[in-house]
Amino acid sequence: MSTKILIIGACGQIGTELTKKLREIYGVENVIASDIRKLNNEVVNSGPFEVVNALDFNQIEHIVEMHQIEEVYLMAALLSATAEKNPAFAWDLNMNSLFHVLNLAKAKKIKKIFWPSSIAVFGPTTPRINTPQYTIMEPSTVYGISKQTGERWCEYYHHIYGVDVRSIRYPGLISWSTEPGGGTTDYAVDIYHKALIDKTYECFLSENTGLPMMYMDDAIRATIQIMQAPSEQIKIRSSYNLGGVSFTPKEIAATIKNHIHDFTITYKPDFRQKIADSWPASIDDSSAKEDWNWKHQFDLEMITVEMLENLKKH
């Protein structure tokens, strides 16, 4: 019998690609996508879909029981820049949706949870270069505070109630298939769109702002890999550091210029600069490598080629 999976927040940036990949692996009928509203998109049209409010425990419980769900991927969240505009709602959504799923697992209604954390858990006092797995964490954004708190609760539910919850701290994610979703690292998605359409881009971060990034294919692979790993290999139950490639707006612009020679970039830092300055510039993910054999595949040049080719097609 195949594993029954529920994805909450399936229409988001990560959820969209994750749904597609999980359906390829486990079969369309075994992967139930859900989101707060029913959009006319590939996620909704390509398999089972339920309208679910991540803040409604009874709704989630009903779907879990109805579809006999074993694994939940909780992808619903308000991201960094968006969350700063609505802190109370961001806290409510990011925290209570997690409690709902943890409590279902505690009650033995589901077997396994994936919950994403983020590099936003780090703050201005964290070592910025090669940020270690265990280090000072004093996040300065609502998003980061909610993710750091979530990590502590995940670890607590694992140690006290035996809940099998797994998590990775995503760096900035780059994907051609979904629009930028209100994150500080989203300039690295938007820049490719603008390069193709306008041949110019005004960046909201300064030219030498280094941030850890990852191509979406790598992030999806890591997500599924950590969920498929034997339980005893998952030694960290807060969240694993995940590193991809680190680069600056200036460096990404240079790789784009190799393909679009008349591309130009200007810089006009806004409130997101302060957020970016409080985050790591590069990540040490040796724990993920040692525990469950993680390894990223895409470097900056490969990302640029993939992004430009796919955006041209679509």
Side-chain angles (χ1 to χ4, degrees):
M1 190 177 130
S2 194
T3 307
K4 289 286 236 185
I5 294 168
L6 173 65
I7 304 164
I8 299 172
C11 293
Q13 192 187 17
I14 306 169
T16 304
E17 311 239 356
L18 183 62
T19 303
K20 194 173 164 187
K21 197 71 193 164
L22 286 171
R23 282 176 172 168
E24 280 172 24
I25 297 168
Y26 293 98
V28 170
E29 67 289 349
N30 294 312
V31 180
I32 317 301
S34 74
D35 215 305
I36 187 107
R37 63 184 69 87
K38 193 167 187 173
L39 302 166
N40 183 19
N41 63 16
E42 196 193 349
V43 169
V44 175
N45 300 329
S46 65
F49 182 86
E50 298 281 357
V51 173
V52 171
N53 180 353
L55 288 169
D56 189 331
F57 176 82
N58 293 333
Q59 232 179 11
I60 299 170
E61 185 180 43
H62 173 67
I63 300 294
V64 163
E65 288 171 352
M66 183 169 75
H67 292 282
Q68 297 174 304
I69 298 296
E70 294 160 83
E71 297 183 7
V72 173
Y73 290 73
L74 175 58
M75 312 310 287
L78 222 54
L79 300 184
S80 58
T82 318
E84 288 306 295
K85 293 169 186 166
N86 198 343
F89 177 66
W91 174 260
D92 193 22
L93 175 63
N94 295 359
M95 293 314 306
N96 285 323
S97 58
L98 174 59
F99 277 125
H100 293 339
V101 176
L102 288 172
N103 285 326
L104 283 168
K106 179 189 166 190
K108 304 282 189 276
K109 296 199 171 184
I110 46 181
K111 291 179 182 169
K112 205 187 284 186
I113 297 165
F114 177 81
W115 175 78
S117 190
S118 160
I119 57 166
V121 295
F122 302 118
T125 52
T126 303
R128 289 200 71 217
I129 307 299
N130 227 12
T131 301
Q133 174 68 43
Y134 300 105
T135 185
I136 297 164
M137 295 160 81
E138 295 184 322
S140 55
T141 64
V142 182
Y143 180 61
I145 293 165
S146 70
K147 287 295 181 188
Q148 194 202 6
T149 310
E151 287 190 13
R152 303 271 63 79
W153 279 113
C154 286
E155 192 175 64
Y156 182 86
Y157 268 73
H158 175 72
H159 289 323
I160 305 299
Y161 305 121
V163 168
D164 188 354
V165 57
R166 301 164 184 218
S167 178
I168 47 188
R169 293 172 183 148
Y170 288 128
L173 298 180
I174 300 176
S175 159
W176 56 267
S177 72
T178 45
E179 294 293 313
T184 302
T185 53
D186 274 353
Y187 89 85
V189 177
D190 202 26
I191 193 169
Y192 292 108
H193 288 263
K194 297 287 196 298
L196 285 167
I197 298 162
D198 305 328
K199 301 268 180 16
T200 183
Y201 179 65
E202 183 179 274
C203 188
F204 55 74
L205 299 179
S206 63
E207 63 177 0
N208 294 316
T209 307
L211 286 168
M213 300 282 188
M214 181 171 281
Y215 193 53
M216 187 62 85
D217 290 26
D218 273 342
I220 298 300
R221 209 164 41 80
T223 304
I224 295 168
Q225 198 178 325
I226 193 173
M227 282 295 271
Q228 289 181 338
S231 188
E232 63 274 10
Q233 283 184 14
I234 310 303
K235 303 197 170 73
I236 294 168
R237 294 294 181 154
S238 51
S239 194
Y240 278 92
N241 268 5
L242 204 65
V245 285
S246 287
F247 53 79
T248 64
K250 191 177 174 180
E251 288 167 332
I252 194 174
T255 66
I256 291 171
K257 269 176 106 66
N258 293 338
H259 302 270
I260 302 170
H261 303 307
D262 52 350
F263 173 69
T264 58
I265 185 167
T266 55
Y267 302 93
K268 193 180 175 184
D270 67 10
F271 75 99
R272 289 167 283 198
Q273 183 65 48
K274 200 172 161 194
I275 297 176
D277 289 342
S278 75
W279 287 354
S282 55
I283 297 281
D284 173 8
D285 59 2
S286 50
S287 293
K289 287 171 178 159
E290 283 160 26
D291 292 357
W292 42 278
N293 303 318
W294 163 247
K295 193 174 188 293
H296 78 274
Q297 290 175 351
F298 288 82
D299 62 18
L300 176 55
E301 180 54 37
M302 288 163 75
I303 291 170
T304 296
V305 169
E306 284 274 315
M307 286 295 288
L308 294 175
E309 279 181 6
N310 284 295
L311 286 173
K312 265 182 213 157
K313 271 186 231 160
H314 292 83

